Amino acid sequence: MANQPDNKQKPEVTKVLLEEIIDSPSKKKGRSGTGQAILIPILAVLTGLIIGAVIIALTTEDVYKAFALSFGDGLGAAWKAISTSYEALFKGAFGDPARIIAALQGDNPIELRRAVNPFLESLVVATPYIFAGLAVAVAFRSGLFSIGAEGQIFIGATAATFVGYSIKGLPPYIHMPLAFLAGAAAGALWGFVPGWLKAKTGGSEVINTIMVNWITFRLTEWLLTGPMQRPGSGGVPLSPFIEKSAEIPQFFDKPIRFHLGFFIALAVAFLVYYFLFKTTWGYNLRTVGANPNAARYAGMNIVTSTIVAMSISGALAGMAGANEILALNRTLALGFSPGFGFDAIALALLGNSNPIGVVLAALLFGFLRSGATRMMLATGIPIDIISILQALIIIFIAAPAIIRTIYRLRAPKIEDRVVVKTGWGGK
Amino acid sequence: MSKKLYAIFAVVLMASMLLAACGQAAPAPTEAPAPATEAPAPATEAPTEAPKVIKVCEITDTGGIDDKSFNATAWKGVTDAMAEFGIEGKYLESTQAADYEKNINAFIEEGCDLIVTVGFLLGDATKAGAEANPDFKFTIIDYAYDPALPNVVGQVFNTDEAAFLAGYLAAGMSKTGKVGTFGGLQIPPVTIFMDGFYYGVKYYNEKKGTNVEVLGWDPVAATGLFTQSFDDQNLGKQFAIQLMDNGADVVMPVAGPVGIGSAAAVKERTTADKPIYFIGVDSDWFLTQPDYADIILTSVLKKMDATTKAVIKKVIDGTFEGGLEVGSLANGGVDIAPYHNFDAAVPAELKAEIEQLKADIISGAVKVKP
């Protein structure tokens, strides 16, 4: 649905998109700045995978046993540990090509669904990452270091759940969007408050959003053990199930969970892109983020810009929560704890705070997370290795000098650098 | 320019290494969805391939496999069964609620003979998974379905029986005439500990004509102290201090790791002439929290490992059927831990009374609930 405006002016849009990904305003300034915006994330991922491989080898008992026999055996065992792990990671993320081909030739529908499920499941896992990554990216773009995505996801999930179960008898085409937008609205409100505090009083958004997170967690707990508790749950902190009409439809039978939310996420990513780079509001916002003093001098309203940016950021995070409830969980439980509100910060960094970059980063995280389940089953390597990989990648992105040193890249000129964040509190 | 070429070369080199890593093992996996068997090993894998090895698969809640609480205890049941019966055990950790269904699906595909889901938070997902896959066996800890599902065993625990003993012991050891408890959340798996503790103290009062008071929980009014958290140790400290300030000299936190904070507070406050005792829950804290071994009077044991192993045994024997597996004093599913360091401090008479009380609860002569 988002592609409709895209089709007409495709060549131009693609070109612009590409420019925006690499985020260089000036073509003439040379390749080091432009190329590196793409090259560094790729190298960071690659380096992360290589170090991850070393960690896998170091934590596999068999490798030590083999090294005790001989050096050659040790290397062989290490190689085997690494290759089986990454092979499982790959198959878990994308599916096993041989199996998919066999399933396509056979006529067992369940086997076919299972064979293609890994790839689709990765997209399912990536979906909330897209929303949440966009949320943080919008804040970053306006020079705001928002840590509030986690709380906004929670409140979005809570609001979507409430609208999902409390309103009955609506047709799906009204109820589902309504519940989804309720999540977005709640998130927006949760972004508005710290945004307003920041704009009006100068209170650091870092602190505000963290504090709002805590308020949200406790509020959700109270709601789940009080007004929103499922009748007859015997004290278990669970909400009622949402109505069928509020569910985001899944496209296939079990076990495939692939759902409409993924396309909504892509559409929203396009809208965010359009907003940031094709509207005056977006321009204001980015200018405030890049240089608040210049923006003020140019007559832009920093107060409004901050509040708008935080509200939009909150709305996007709220959508992530609503998406999880309406498409997958169908009920809110105490252990909802997504954690991807914090991963989202990493995503925004990895995606260079650019909607397209964020989508790609979210897909990467989705594939890693989803593949990790299979890797754990096949090799017993805990899912935590993925958190280590993610952390390594983030370190390399956040400190590109490491990557430049390893791969001997030239540092770009200062004016080519992308301002992700000016400093704590936007100073 | 040459540096750039160098960089590209490096990338290509790394990429080819990685691809080779994937490629090397690639010829093998065409046969079936289980290359797992040739993996370099979760060390424990039984070498017996010929007869079908029973595969038991645990899904944790968001606490993770090493939470030193029920996820870990249930996993101990699986590893015990691995050692004893030569089964194969696997686990998947959930990091968020949406993982429950995903992990159940993964284990269905893995062909697990028994899927163990840990905790009431997995109740809905387990039910959905069990209904969609009627030929798979499930067992869930701390949850019971009403009506029962034909392929799910709910593991529930008469924890109040063991906590009753702990309450009796606490009342017998208290010098101030006040004992305290608090919970993580006001939910049945938590409050059942506090109920038992409360009525154990009441029973002691009845028997001895004393008036030992329980702080922190009143089962009749259903009001008490709850941290609303299972991970904030600071809260555990504050709550314990509050109880001790009000005169309690026995503290039993029913809030998972939150209790570690309480143990720290008790350890700071206790003295030789005015001892303050700590009662652990779920596992024997003397063993799991050795830092606080010298204040731990006993622990109320909820042996999820024993019940999980019992369910696994039924799968092996082919006697598995849906319903309940109730851990009680009678079958050793719940108990109180040894007194360890306080063995000498607990009067022999009190010990004997507790042994008698245990027998009476098992025989039904003493009711742990009014």
Side-chain angles (χ1 to χ4, degrees):
Chain A
M1 48 184 99
N3 295 335
Q4 278 165 1
D6 191 82
N7 284 337
K8 275 182 236 160
Q9 27 178 324
K10 197 159 194 176
E12 197 225 340
V13 168
T14 338
K15 210 174 90 197
V16 176
L17 288 190
L18 202 68
E19 268 171 35
E20 291 299 353
I21 292 183
I22 54 194
D23 201 19
S24 164
S26 53
K27 265 175 268 179
K28 52 181 178 288
K29 274 207 181 119
R31 33 187 111 76
S32 64
T34 34
Q36 283 195 12
I38 295 181
L39 195 58
I40 287 192
I42 294 175
L43 289 176
V45 171
L46 209 63
T47 318
L49 284 172
I50 291 166
I51 297 182
V54 174
I55 294 173
I56 288 172
L58 287 178
T59 51
T60 306
E61 212 176 321
D62 285 19
V63 173
Y64 290 95
K65 284 186 196 148
F67 266 114
L69 292 175
S70 83
F71 188 70
D73 284 350
L75 278 187
W79 186 252
K80 196 175 165 217
I82 294 165
S83 58
T84 22
S85 305
Y86 278 164
E87 188 198 334
L89 184 66
F90 177 85
K91 285 184 183 162
F94 298 98
D96 180 346
R99 191 178 169 199
I100 294 174
I101 292 166
L104 282 171
Q105 285 161 349
D107 53 354
N108 182 347
I110 294 178
E111 172 59 20
L112 180 60
R113 284 207 297 276
R114 282 183 180 166
V116 297
N117 191 29
F119 178 72
L120 294 173
E121 180 66 33
S122 299
L123 300 184
V124 170
V125 177
T127 305
Y129 280 130
I130 297 178
F131 286 117
L134 288 172
V136 180
V138 168
F140 278 6
R141 277 284 168 187
S142 353
L144 297 162
F145 200 80
S146 168
I147 318 281
E150 183 83 358
Q152 290 151 359
I153 290 169
F154 251 87
I155 204 67
T158 310
T161 310
F162 182 75
V163 173
Y165 76 76
S166 62
I167 303 178
K168 295 183 168 63
L170 285 181
Y173 53 86
I174 295 180
H175 199 182
M176 189 275 276
L178 190 68
F180 190 76
L181 290 177
L189 180 64
W190 250 241
F192 172 84
V193 173
W196 185 83
L197 285 172
K198 161 85 179 174
K200 290 289 184 190
T201 71
S204 162
E205 78 280 8
V206 177
I207 310 293
N208 290 340
T209 48
I210 293 176
M211 293 307 133
V212 170
N213 281 351
W214 288 109
I215 294 170
T216 318
F217 300 153
R218 299 297 161 251
L219 176 69
T220 316
E221 274 167 19
W222 174 74
L223 285 171
L224 283 177
T225 49
M228 281 178 70
Q229 192 167 43
R230 185 188 299 178
S233 72
V236 175
L238 269 178
S239 80
F241 281 105
I242 59 167
E243 294 287 303
K244 269 264 178 287
S245 53
E247 289 176 8
I248 292 178
Q250 299 186 348
F251 294 122
F252 304 100
D253 287 339
K254 303 245 161 210
I256 300 179
R257 305 197 292 171
F258 187 58
H259 56 82
L260 185 65
F262 179 70
F263 296 107
I264 301 178
L266 291 185
V268 167
F270 179 80
L271 287 177
V272 170
Y273 164 78
Y274 190 86
F275 168 79
L276 277 180
F277 297 106
K278 299 285 168 235
T279 66
T280 321
W281 274 101
Y283 181 75
N284 280 2
L285 214 137
R286 283 187 296 138
T287 311
V288 171
N291 190 335
N293 294 327
R296 192 180 290 116
Y297 188 69
M300 293 175 181
N301 188 337
I302 296 186
V303 169
T304 323
S305 169
T306 302
I307 295 177
V308 168
M310 285 300 281
S311 304
I312 292 177
S313 168
L316 291 165
M319 287 180 197
N323 172 76
E324 289 296 274
I325 295 295
L326 301 178
L328 302 175
N329 294 355
R330 303 204 172 90
T331 169
L332 184 66
L334 192 67
F336 177 69
S337 91
F340 43 70
F342 301 118
D343 285 349
I345 298 167
L347 284 168
L349 282 173
L350 184 56
N352 211 2
S353 295
N354 180 295
I356 297 122
V358 167
V359 170
L360 294 176
L363 287 174
L364 174 73
F365 274 33
F367 284 119
L368 283 176
R369 284 261 163 215
S370 174
T373 306
R374 166 85 181 233
M375 183 166 79
M376 183 163 171
L377 273 180
T379 63
I381 293 172
I383 296 178
D384 301 333
I385 188 83
I386 296 303
S387 306
I388 297 179
L389 279 181
Q390 283 178 354
L392 286 168
I393 294 170
I394 302 314
I395 290 172
F396 294 137
I397 301 271
I402 305 176
I403 290 291
R404 288 204 198 96
T405 312
I406 296 176
Y407 299 99
R408 302 203 181 184
L409 303 179
R410 202 181 313 131
K413 294 192 198 89
I414 292 191
E415 60 265 36
D416 280 355
R417 284 187 195 152
V418 180
V419 181
V420 171
K421 172 63 185 127
T422 40
W424 284 60
K427 280 158 199 121
Chain B
M1 194 61 203
S2 66
K3 277 182 186 167
K4 187 133 200 206
L5 272 178
Y6 179 87
I8 291 169
F9 176 71
V11 175
V12 172
L13 186 73
M14 299 294 182
S16 64
M17 276 168 65
L18 273 177
L19 288 176
C22 297
Q24 191 211 31
T30 31
E31 7 94 67
T37 40
E38 53 177 43
T44 38
E45 235 168 313
T48 43
E49 286 294 329
K52 181 165 172 2
V53 179
I54 299 275
K55 200 188 278 182
V56 177
C57 307
E58 175 179 325
I59 299 169
T60 74
D61 75 354
T62 51
I65 197 79
D66 49 1
D67 65 345
K68 292 197 173 179
S69 183
F70 62 174
N71 289 306
T73 314
W75 179 240
K76 181 172 176 292
V78 177
T79 49
D80 286 354
M82 281 157 74
E84 196 168 322
F85 310 130
I87 60 155
E88 188 186 344
K90 284 179 182 277
Y91 70 87
L92 281 176
E93 293 180 320
S94 307
T95 51
Q96 61 193 66
D99 284 351
Y100 303 151
E101 186 187 358
K102 176 181 139 195
N103 289 342
I104 289 174
N105 285 339
F107 276 151
I108 297 283
E109 192 169 331
E110 184 77 10
C112 295
D113 298 281
L114 177 68
I115 297 175
V116 184
T117 56
V118 183
F120 58 88
L121 290 173
L122 279 85
D124 289 334
T126 307
K127 186 176 183 208
E131 282 171 346
N133 303 281
D135 45 341
F136 278 81
K137 301 184 182 73
F138 292 82
T139 179
I140 179 164
I141 287 166
D142 263 352
Y143 205 84
Y145 292 101
D146 185 25
L149 298 169
N151 55 337
V152 186
V153 169
Q155 299 181 28
V156 291
F157 299 85
N158 295 345
T159 335
D160 47 352
E161 296 179 356
F164 193 89
L165 300 178
Y168 192 91
L169 172 70
M173 295 299 285
S174 174
K175 300 223 166 45
T176 58
K178 283 180 184 168
V179 297
T181 182
F182 67 88
L185 267 181
Q186 194 164 349
I187 53 174
V190 168
T191 51
I192 192 171
F193 279 93
M194 300 159 81
D195 284 347
F197 187 74
Y198 179 90
Y199 289 118
V201 173
K202 290 286 150 210
Y203 185 75
Y204 183 88
N205 287 342
E206 238 171 73
K207 280 276 225 192
K208 307 274 180 178
T210 52
N211 195 18
V212 180
E213 221 183 305
V214 178
L215 306 178
W217 179 237
D218 177 356
V220 183
T223 53
L225 292 176
F226 293 93
T227 54
Q228 305 295 340
S229 161
F230 284 107
D231 48 31
D232 190 344
Q233 297 189 13
N234 243 335
L235 279 175
K237 197 163 189 175
Q238 290 168 20
F239 275 56
I241 289 173
Q242 192 188 340
L243 288 171
M244 291 187 292
D245 285 348
N246 281 293
D249 61 353
V250 182
V251 177
M252 182 179 84
V254 191
V258 170
I260 298 170
S262 310
V266 170
K267 194 172 175 173
E268 272 171 27
R269 184 80 66 99
T270 189
T271 55
D273 47 331
K274 277 187 188 163
I276 299 176
Y277 304 106
F278 184 91
I279 297 178
V281 295
D282 287 345
S283 55
D284 187 349
W285 282 44
F286 183 87
L287 304 173
T288 58
Q289 305 293 343
D291 289 352
Y292 302 108
D294 47 354
I295 54 163
I296 292 164
L297 179 60
T298 184
S299 299
V300 180
L301 304 178
K302 178 168 162 184
K303 296 183 173 170
M304 289 153 277
D305 48 343
T307 46
T308 303
K309 204 173 104 181
V311 176
I312 294 172
K313 184 82 171 61
K314 285 183 185 167
V315 172
I316 295 170
D317 296 345
T319 56
F320 178 96
E321 58 179 63
L324 287 179
E325 175 79 26
V326 182
S328 62
L329 274 183
N331 65 14
V334 302
D335 206 346
I336 58 169
Y339 309 117
H340 296 293
N341 286 359
F342 289 110
D343 202 44
V346 180
E349 194 190 343
L350 186 57
K351 279 185 199 164
E353 284 169 20
I354 284 174
E355 280 311 308
Q356 183 56 43
L357 191 54
K358 187 171 167 182
D360 287 346
I361 292 173
I362 291 172
S363 72
V366 171
K367 297 268 174 273
V368 296
K369 261 182 239 145

